[in-house]
């Protein structure tokens, strides 16, 4: 594995995966993240770790002036090819190429798990945030990333429980699915919360979203999220 956590090699497979539709994003996270972003018309927004630009385009469609930053060259190329309004820059969350107090909204949408020095990335996100602005974050639940094996199954393949171990120890885990093979970082929730609060930020919303009955009818694969957070 070369590049940043395996993302260069996985870029094409990732783009295909997103294009096919990820129910966690489409049904569970998108509505909440857009709600938390609020009215972005005419506001400047930064999408950290924007990938192929999916969420950047969603913000642009709502009238935001969007910058997306992404370290994976192939994903930046895919984002630029798709257009949709945002400006895309190759770069890392730990060293944002923007002045202080630049953005009304900074989005970190399932990206902190991919950043080795997440503390520096949070400090940088705070630095470029305008006074009174907001950082909106979606992240994998620490109970999910603390499992090395996923669901523990019974003799008939039934899902019994989700075991976790070494919850308090920060570490990188190699994960693979649908041709994607990358490193996701596990950290306990307290590590993230301490860092955000140490930057002088104020927590205004926290949630562990579970699918509604309507969402379950639309996407039955989400039913496990009622039992264990992801």
């Amino acid at each position: 594995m070369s590049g940043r956590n395996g993302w260069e090699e996985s870029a094409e497979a990732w783009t295909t995966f997103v294009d096919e539709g990820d129910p966690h994003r489409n049904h569970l996270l998108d509505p909440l993240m857009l709600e938390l972003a609020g009215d972005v018309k005419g506001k400047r927004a930064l999408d950290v770790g924007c990938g192929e630009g999916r969420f950047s385009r969603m913000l642009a469609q709502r009238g935001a002036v969007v910058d997306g930053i992404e370290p994976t060259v192939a994903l930046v190329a895919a984002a630029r090819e798709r257009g949709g309004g945002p400006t895309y820059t190759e770069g890392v969350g730990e060293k944002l190429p923007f002045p202080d107090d630049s953005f009304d909204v900074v989005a970190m949408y399932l990206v902190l798990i991919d950043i080795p020095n997440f503390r520096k990335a949070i400090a940088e996100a705070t630095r470029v945030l305008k006074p009174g602005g907001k950082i909106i974050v979606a992240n994998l639940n620490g109970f999910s990333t603390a499992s090395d094996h996923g669901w523990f199954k019974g003799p008939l393949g039934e899902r019994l429980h989700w075991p976790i171990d070494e919850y308090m120890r920060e570490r990188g885990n190699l994960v693979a699915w649908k041709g994607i093979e990358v490193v996701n970082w596990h950290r306990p929730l307290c590590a993230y919360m301490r860092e955000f609060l140490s930057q002088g930020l104020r927590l205004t919303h926290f949630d562990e979203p579970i699918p509604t009955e309507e969402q379950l009818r639309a996407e039955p694969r989400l039913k496990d999220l009622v039992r264990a957070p992801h």
Side-chain angles (χ1 to χ4, degrees), residues 95-141:
K95 190 174 182 180
L96 297 174
F98 304 105
D100 296 358
D101 306 336
S102 294
F103 297 96
D104 301 286
V105 178
V106 176
M108 308 181 89
Y109 193 143
L110 291 180
V111 67
L112 285 171
I113 53 171
D114 297 313
I115 297 178
N117 191 343
F118 79 99
R119 294 176 173 87
K120 180 63 175 173
I122 291 173
E124 279 288 275
T126 307
R127 178 185 65 79
V128 302
L129 189 68
K130 292 180 180 179
K134 62 175 72 174
I135 299 176
I136 57 174
V137 181
N139 202 38
L140 290 186
N141 192 293

Side-chain angles (χ1 to χ4, degrees), residues 14-174:
W14 171 259
T15 302
T16 299
F17 166 71
V18 171
D19 287 347
E20 290 175 349
D22 174 14
H24 297 92
R25 287 171 172 78
N26 296 348
H27 294 281
L28 205 62
L29 294 179
D30 286 351
L32 182 56
M33 288 291 279
L34 291 171
E35 178 185 349
L36 293 175
D39 182 4
V40 295
K41 188 174 182 179
K43 294 183 178 180
R44 289 201 66 193
L46 174 64
D47 187 7
V48 179
C50 64
E52 78 307 318
R54 177 181 172 276
F55 193 63
S56 296
R57 292 189 296 275
M58 295 174 72
L59 292 172
Q61 288 166 2
R62 285 158 177 78
V65 179
V66 183
D67 282 275
I69 186 163
E70 166 63 46
T72 308
V73 175
L75 291 178
V76 173
R80 288 172 175 164
E81 181 179 334
R82 290 163 187 235
T87 299
Y88 297 104
T89 302
E90 291 178 22
V92 297
E94 299 97 321
K95 190 174 182 180
L96 297 174
F98 304 105
D100 296 358
D101 306 336
S102 294
F103 297 96
D104 301 286
V105 178
V106 176
M108 308 181 89
Y109 193 143
L110 291 180
V111 67
L112 285 171
I113 53 171
D114 297 313
I115 297 178
N117 191 343
F118 79 99
R119 294 176 173 87
K120 180 63 175 173
I122 291 173
E124 279 288 275
T126 307
R127 178 185 65 79
V128 302
L129 189 68
K130 292 180 180 179
K134 62 175 72 174
I135 299 176
I136 57 174
V137 181
N139 202 38
L140 290 186
N141 192 293
F143 292 109
S144 179
T145 57
S147 174
D148 293 330
H149 304 291
W151 285 96
F152 185 87
K153 297 181 180 180
L156 302 179
E158 67 275 27
R159 295 181 173 186
L160 301 179
H161 58 266
W162 182 278
I164 67 170
D165 196 13
E166 297 284 357
Y167 173 79
M168 298 304 299
R169 182 171 65 89
E170 298 181 22
R171 61 192 185 276
N173 296 321
L174 185 65

